[in-house]
Amino acid sequence: MKKQKNNRIWEWVVCLVCTVILSACAYHTPAEDWERNGRVRLHLSWQTRALPSVMSYYFYKDGIGSPIVRRGDASGYEGSLPAGHYKVVVCNTDCENVLLETDDGYDAACGKARQVSSLKSSAVAIVQPGNLYGIGCAQIDIGGDEIAVKELAPAGLVRQLELNIKITGCGTGEVQPGKLSGQLAGIASGVYLCNGKPLTGAPAFVAFEPEVTATGVYTTTLNLFSLPERDAAGSPVDLRLDMELADGTRVSTSTDITEDIGNAFVENTFSVILDLTIRYDEIGGLTLLLAEWKKGNDGSGMVDP
């Protein structure tokens, strides 16, 4: 009986020793924690009408291409990370028709418009992107017991081009086609998340079918990524319109709007409107006349009025 009692005592002693050892392994002094970790607080400053529902925060530590990913809301993020020097990309995850590529480093993190077809060609047909916001910060030092604080202002990375098309005949009379469609070619297929600049490489195009309004003017709104840089060598931005008449006759016209659209989409301009006229006659076919560029009502990707 006495032997059983001693065995129980030893069992309790062993359990107590194990508990103390495990507690010691799990416990670190605050100084030890701050040597290896740090805290960061990112505040997002929004001046747009609507805020995204979910944001992703990609922290790129120096020398590492794959980021540490944190989820948060549109107000910002606060949390702990291993100590080190970081770059961070912030973007929303509820974007439309956009594939996010973020595993090749800060500078290469981008959003690409979903392709209509997987077939390889000189130009890529894309679906219009939508609702993408992003911003980058090239330097955040995390570590120690002080919180690293940054305020970032996400920008709209998708721009809008509204086309208003009036069709006339040789004289002043209007022509009503059976069908009107078009393409805008030479646009970027993606955008860098850290700075909003367009991806270089294969140019893209987007197809559209404008709808006729009560006034007889055809209208459509296209969602685009940032346009190619003005001084960058690449394909011109080409606007093509195809018209099918009531008798089945098909006629087409196109024009290079590289310089015009570059002047219209100046820095921070989010939305522009292009009014244009198509003149049709049986001999000359279609003639496209650019009437007027003007700023849209949606203002800027940085600041909406």
Side-chain angles (χ1 to χ4, degrees), residues 5 17 25 30 34 46 65 72 90-91 93 112 125 135 145 175 177 182 186 190 199 202-203 211 234 236 238 252 295:
K5 186 176 182 180
V17 171
C25 293
W34 295 133
W46 296 89
V90 182
C91 70
T93 55
K112 293 183 178 180
I135 191 66
D145 55 0
V175 176
L199 289 181
E211 298 181 353
D238 185 76
S252 301
K295 189 174 180 179

Side-chain angles (χ1 to χ4, degrees), residues 57-69 85-87 101-107 109:
Y57 299 79
Y58 301 91
F59 293 90
Y60 296 89
K61 196 172 185 179
D62 280 359
I64 301 177
S66 297
I68 299 173
V69 185
H85 303 289
Y86 289 86
K87 297 178 180 180
E101 297 184 0
T102 57
D103 290 332
D104 292 327
Y106 172 83
D107 293 322

Side-chain angles (χ1 to χ4, degrees), residues 100-143:
L100 299 175
E101 297 184 0
T102 57
D103 290 332
D104 292 327
Y106 172 83
D107 293 322
C110 64
K112 293 183 178 180
R114 184 167 61 85
Q115 296 185 16
V116 175
S117 173
S118 60
L119 297 177
K120 292 185 178 180
S121 62
S122 58
V124 179
I126 62 172
V127 181
Q128 294 184 44
N131 190 43
L132 179 61
Y133 298 86
I135 191 66
C137 180
Q139 186 65 47
I140 297 181
D141 296 325
I142 298 175

Side-chain angles (χ1 to χ4, degrees), residues 63-222:
I64 301 177
S66 297
I68 299 173
V69 185
R70 296 288 188 262
R71 307 296 182 190
D73 56 26
S75 63
Y77 169 79
E78 181 173 346
S80 61
L81 290 169
H85 303 289
Y86 289 86
K87 297 178 180 180
V88 61
V89 164
V90 182
C91 70
N92 60 309
T93 55
D94 58 346
C95 46
E96 302 168 4
N97 299 321
V98 177
L99 302 177
L100 299 175
E101 297 184 0
T102 57
D103 290 332
D104 292 327
Y106 172 83
D107 293 322
C110 64
K112 293 183 178 180
R114 184 167 61 85
Q115 296 185 16
V116 175
S117 173
S118 60
L119 297 177
K120 292 185 178 180
S121 62
S122 58
V124 179
I126 62 172
V127 181
Q128 294 184 44
N131 190 43
L132 179 61
Y133 298 86
I135 191 66
C137 180
Q139 186 65 47
I140 297 181
D141 296 325
I142 298 175
D145 55 0
E146 292 188 8
I147 300 178
V149 180
K150 292 285 185 179
E151 181 173 317
L152 305 175
L157 302 181
V158 178
R159 301 185 176 189
Q160 290 186 341
L161 172 61
E162 179 182 325
L163 298 176
N164 296 317
I165 308 165
K166 184 177 181 180
I167 304 175
T168 65
C170 294
T172 57
E174 295 185 359
V175 176
Q176 291 297 331
K179 182 180 180 180
L180 185 65
S181 60
Q183 286 185 359
L184 185 65
I187 59 177
S189 61
V191 63
Y192 289 108
L193 299 174
C194 62
N195 54 25
K197 292 186 177 181
L199 289 181
T200 57
F205 69 90
V206 62
F208 59 89
E209 291 188 7
E211 298 181 353
V212 64
T213 65
T215 60
V217 175
Y218 288 78
T219 184
T220 188
T221 299
L222 305 179

